[in-house]
Amino acid sequence: MSNRSIVLIGFMGTGKSTVGARLAEQLKLRFRDLDEEIVSRTGQSIPDIFAERGEAYFREQEGRILSLLLEEEVPQIIATGGGAVLKEENRKRMKEQATVIHLTAEEATIVERVRQDRNRPLLQGDVEERVRRLMAERRGLYDFAHLCVPTDSESVEQLCARILVYMERN
């Protein structure tokens, strides 16, 4: 198994934090949730950052902190936010410095998973419409990943097993 970090990418609600935490446990690696890192390092919640400083500032912090995490010597599991792929430099850095796993889910699955989450500033208003629009805007931006894993119908254990098989072969 490679000694590179594993970065989980994918649209919101695809299971990056859940799968990442479990994978880290199984591999005995540190788990880092990029959104949580942003909150702890800026001292503001994500909705507050969006409200007070805007999405551009948030994306700037996201890229800066992602870069810092990827530069750490010890391999770890990093779950990114759904929009971490928006900047080409982030995509390039992830692909070069880690094994990138893209978690996917059908639109209906995502809507079901995120509908009640008030901590997602990009989903204010009509959740179905916002998910549909954001998925369309981001189509293709996750395609640089080394492996793509659909999360709609498998358990966290099954998803981790699939990722571990890939990691052992590469």
Side-chain angles (χ1 to χ4, degrees):
M1 181 132 19
S2 126
N3 64 345
R4 299 176 81 183
S5 288
I6 298 173
V7 176
L8 299 174
I9 64 168
F11 197 77
M12 64 181 83
T14 54
K16 298 177 300 289
S17 296
T18 306
V19 171
R22 186 71 190 104
L23 203 53
E25 211 174 272
Q26 291 181 357
L27 293 172
K28 296 182 179 20
L29 295 175
R30 183 168 182 193
F31 173 65
R32 310 293 275 282
D33 181 294
L34 186 54
D35 284 349
E36 287 175 14
E37 291 288 325
I38 293 166
V39 169
S40 75
R41 293 174 192 228
T42 62
Q44 284 190 291
S45 73
I46 290 172
D48 285 351
I49 292 171
F50 269 76
E52 293 169 25
R53 300 188 178 207
E55 185 175 358
Y57 174 82
F58 174 80
R59 297 294 171 206
E60 203 177 284
Q61 296 307 307
E62 181 177 56
R64 182 180 68 79
I65 295 167
L66 173 64
S67 183
L68 292 172
L69 295 180
L70 287 170
E71 285 164 15
E72 291 181 10
E73 299 294 316
V74 182
Q76 55 192 329
I77 309 292
I78 303 168
T80 64
V85 298
L86 294 172
K87 288 189 173 177
E88 185 179 352
E89 65 205 54
N90 290 350
R91 297 192 302 270
K92 187 171 184 267
R93 199 173 281 134
M94 287 186 268
K95 177 118 183 169
E96 287 171 0
Q97 295 179 258
T99 298
V100 183
I101 313 287
H102 175 201
L103 300 185
T104 67
E106 295 297 324
E107 186 181 307
T109 304
I110 289 169
V111 168
E112 194 56 43
R113 290 177 182 169
V114 302
R115 181 184 301 282
Q116 302 308 319
D117 192 339
R118 293 288 160 252
N119 212 24
R120 297 182 187 272
L122 292 177
L123 290 186
Q124 299 315 306
D126 180 344
V127 175
E128 284 93 344
E129 169 56 30
R130 301 286 297 154
V131 166
R132 189 174 306 113
R133 203 180 88 232
L134 285 168
M135 285 182 87
E137 284 171 12
R138 295 176 184 179
R139 189 161 289 122
L141 290 180
Y142 303 101
D143 293 352
F144 69 96
H146 297 97
L147 175 69
C148 181
V149 180
T151 65
D152 298 277
S153 56
E154 290 188 7
S155 70
V156 172
E157 295 305 320
Q158 290 169 314
L159 297 169
C160 288
R162 187 188 292 227
I163 293 167
L164 291 172
V165 165
Y166 175 82
M167 294 305 293
E168 284 162 14
R169 291 183 184 155
N170 292 280

